[in-house]
Amino acid sequence: MDLPAQTSGEVIDQGIEALQGLLGEAWEVSIEPQPPLPLHGDEGWDAVVRVLSRGDGIFTELLVDVRDHLTPKGVTQLGSTAALVRRLNRNSALMVFSPWISPKAQEELRRREIDFLDLTGNISLRISRPAVVIHTQGAVRAPASHRSAPSGKPLLTGPRAGRLIRLLADVKPPYRATELAEHSGLSLPYVSRLLDALEDQLLIGREGRTVTSVHWQDLLRTRANHLDLMRQTNPQGLLAPNGVQQVLDQLVDRQGVIAEGRVLVTGSYAARPVAPVAVGGQLMLYVTPDKKHTRDVVQELHLLPVPEAADVLLLRAPDLGVLQRPRRYDRYFQVGLSQLVLDCLSGPGRMPAEGEKVLAFMEEERLWRTDSLSLLSRDESHRLF
């Protein structure tokens, strides 16, 4: 769902209309002309909305704070305001209105018992007098008009972001931006800005300039939520005349165009060893973006281009960083586990469920993470072929 840019007043009006539509004619939702006493030292709120039960005249006042962008870190700053509102008047509650609120920010709002509403349909409202409970789900992904990052911070969508996010997931902290820039091959200013954005999302924790914690499960889920595997890899559909298993056999101990790390298995076939739920599906193979390399792989694996009913998909890596830190399985190479999760969670059909199973395996088996950047060789970090 796309949304045009909106003023605070427009967001409030549309939010009130949404609440009124959900509650029906037995309720009245309106803006109060005068707010209650302000909170000392706080910026206050943008409107006071009264929710009135027409039957008995009981009402609650919602102190509405309109936010264009609300990060999970920004939610933590609202916690004390919400608590103070509840202490001052038990018939009042803080509520956030926004064009769109991310799932992570919604989670943080619920944790602090702060009501919220966004214009895509994500609404959580729970008041005791009059008794009202509303929970609806809207857009999980940001509308197109809401995808620009505030304060000039980079988004989590680009190929360069994926390179840094995988490094954060694959290697245990602590480390600093300078070390991450060196090992990722990214510029220090870009890394610093992206770390700021990740901290806003509560996906990493820092003490000073040092990253001390990485919530790698949420980090990978958030990154995948910004991706569409099929759109970003421009897959080429192919037929394996002698079956998919023979293609896998041909990947074993080969040299040349399908040498180590230059053709990597991903998707359901790569998930199968760690996620038994993964069955069937197309064999997905990453190749480098080089067109000649793709043609050579098709020829060497004896694959036939087909317009439909393909059983093999060649995925062109949007950034050669997806080929970094592969893992070996049954004598052929697959993408690293962090890349596998990103591919599955952003893929079609059953793949997201397979991605969750891979995540569950990774949470139980922690040996896949490298203990420190110092143990990650420069060649391994920059192996971009």
Side-chain angles (χ1 to χ4, degrees):
M1 177 179 180
D2 197 7
L3 293 170
Q6 289 146 316
T7 65
S8 294
E10 290 171 335
V11 172
I12 292 169
D13 289 344
Q14 291 182 49
I16 290 175
E17 183 179 352
L19 286 178
Q20 185 68 72
L22 287 168
L23 290 170
E25 295 182 357
W27 301 81
E28 179 183 311
V29 183
S30 60
I31 296 181
E32 286 288 277
Q34 295 293 331
L37 292 175
L39 299 178
H40 296 293
D42 190 81
E43 295 180 358
W45 38 83
D46 297 281
V48 178
V49 173
R50 173 177 286 198
V51 179
L52 170 71
S53 170
R54 297 184 191 272
D56 53 22
I58 297 175
F59 68 89
T60 286
E61 290 178 328
L62 303 175
L63 310 185
V64 175
D65 187 345
V66 179
R67 298 293 180 101
D68 182 38
H69 288 85
L70 181 63
T71 66
K73 185 178 181 181
V75 173
T76 64
Q77 300 165 355
L78 291 173
S80 58
T81 301
L84 185 53
V85 167
R86 287 191 291 267
R87 288 200 301 270
L88 287 176
N89 187 345
R90 64 180 181 179
N91 290 327
S92 296
L94 184 66
M95 187 169 189
V96 175
F97 280 17
S98 180
W100 180 74
I101 301 174
S102 71
K104 181 66 174 176
Q106 292 177 42
E107 179 185 334
E108 294 297 323
L109 287 165
R110 291 194 190 94
R111 184 177 301 169
R112 290 163 176 79
E113 299 181 352
I114 300 174
D115 300 314
F116 61 85
L117 174 151
D118 77 25
L119 301 187
T120 75
N122 292 301
I123 303 175
S124 179
L125 174 62
R126 181 182 292 271
I127 53 180
S128 58
R129 196 170 184 270
V132 175
V133 178
I134 297 175
H135 178 74
T136 64
Q137 183 172 336
V140 175
R141 299 189 180 191
S145 61
H146 207 70
R147 289 174 193 160
S148 59
S151 305
K153 295 172 183 175
L155 294 170
L156 306 186
T157 54
R160 292 187 300 165
R163 204 185 303 180
L164 180 60
I165 286 168
R166 281 202 62 211
L167 187 60
L168 290 168
D170 289 349
V171 183
K172 299 175 184 177
Y175 28 65
R176 296 165 70 95
T178 50
E179 298 170 285
L180 291 167
E182 177 184 357
H183 282 271
S184 65
L186 301 170
S187 72
L188 179 57
Y190 177 82
V191 170
S192 297
R193 292 197 306 273
L194 186 54
L195 291 178
D196 288 343
L198 295 176
E199 188 177 30
D200 283 345
Q201 298 294 325
L202 300 184
L203 298 173
I204 64 170
R206 290 193 289 188
E207 293 181 7
R209 297 183 179 181
T210 301
V211 177
T212 56
S213 63
V214 175
H215 306 291
W216 57 266
Q217 300 96 324
D218 289 339
L219 180 64
L220 293 175
R221 286 192 181 99
T222 301
R223 164 70 175 172
N225 192 47
H226 289 79
L227 301 177
D228 183 325
L229 179 66
M230 296 294 98
R231 180 177 300 175
Q232 293 181 304
T233 58
N234 190 24
Q236 179 181 359
L238 301 158
L239 181 68
N242 297 311
V244 167
Q245 186 57 52
Q246 186 178 66
V247 176
L248 290 172
D249 292 341
Q250 287 178 293
L251 293 176
V252 174
D253 295 333
R254 297 295 292 269
Q255 303 298 319
V257 298
I258 57 174
E260 174 185 342
R262 301 199 72 202
V263 176
L264 299 179
V265 180
T266 190
S268 300
Y269 278 85
R272 215 173 272 175
V274 296
V277 69
V279 294
Q282 295 167 307
L283 173 62
M284 294 182 175
L285 301 176
Y286 264 121
V287 294
T288 69
D290 179 67
K291 292 182 179 180
K292 182 179 183 304
H293 179 239
T294 301
R295 290 195 299 268
D296 290 344
V297 169
V298 171
Q299 182 177 357
E300 187 163 346
L301 294 179
H302 308 295
L303 301 172
L304 302 175
V306 290
E308 56 185 22
D311 53 14
V312 177
L313 292 180
L314 288 192
L315 310 181
R316 294 173 179 85
D319 179 81
L320 291 174
V322 304
L323 305 179
Q324 291 177 323
R325 298 181 295 282
R327 61 193 298 265
R328 189 160 185 161
Y329 171 75
D330 192 23
R331 296 184 298 152
Y332 62 83
F333 286 88
Q334 303 183 160
V335 293
L337 286 174
S338 59
Q339 185 63 47
L340 178 59
V341 167
L342 294 173
D343 291 340
C344 287
L345 290 181
S346 62
R350 298 187 304 270
M351 289 182 66
E354 295 165 0
E356 288 295 338
K357 290 293 185 180
V358 176
L359 265 178
F361 168 82
M362 294 164 70
E363 290 172 357
E364 182 176 347
E365 177 54 75
R366 299 297 183 97
L367 295 178
W368 60 273
R369 296 191 81 195
T370 302
D371 286 333
S372 71
L373 282 174
S374 62
L375 298 177
L376 199 65
S377 71
R378 183 182 300 273
D379 288 342
E380 188 175 7
S381 294
H382 288 287
R383 188 147 62 88
L384 300 180
F385 305 98

